[in-house]
Amino acid sequence: IIHTPDEYRIDRIGYIREIFVKEDKRGRGIGGMLFRAAMKVFRIRGMQIIRADCYTENRRGLSFWKSMGLSERIKEMYLECE
């Protein structure tokens, strides 16, 4: 590797594996409240960047993360082994 991209130089990454709100409770701002609560903790702990995963097929999830200010930085590629 000749050049290490900046995203690999970040020491403190806050990671959100998932935010799940039950179907009958969606659309009430609960996901946003959970995200903002996590952000408070991340800021207190000195995180430099926040990372969240979302399946590419999950359009509602992608829309949620984008509405929270996150943007795509990397795409992971997978191959199922038989």
Side-chain angles (χ1 to χ4, degrees):
I1 298 175
I2 296 170
H3 172 72
T4 303
D6 288 339
E7 59 263 27
Y8 295 117
R9 294 184 186 155
I10 296 169
D11 295 325
R12 302 190 54 85
I13 298 173
Y15 176 63
I16 301 173
R17 185 171 181 268
E18 65 183 342
I19 290 179
F20 182 81
V21 177
K22 292 175 84 173
E23 186 98 28
D24 63 328
K25 305 293 185 198
R26 293 179 187 166
R28 300 179 186 184
I30 296 169
M33 288 189 300
L34 292 169
F35 176 76
R36 286 186 289 280
M39 286 297 297
K40 285 181 184 178
V41 173
F42 291 148
R43 286 186 180 112
I44 290 167
R45 294 186 179 180
M47 297 299 140
Q48 295 171 286
I49 193 167
I50 306 307
R51 177 183 161 201
D53 293 340
C54 187
Y55 285 105
T56 55
E57 298 86 15
N58 184 351
R59 297 196 187 284
R60 189 170 187 168
L62 291 169
S63 177
F64 168 77
W65 290 119
K66 288 179 182 178
S67 75
M68 294 294 112
L70 282 79
S71 60
E72 287 186 40
R73 292 188 70 177
I74 190 170
K75 290 210 185 252
E76 294 182 346
M77 309 301 284
Y78 292 86
L79 174 65
E80 291 186 27
C81 298
E82 296 183 276

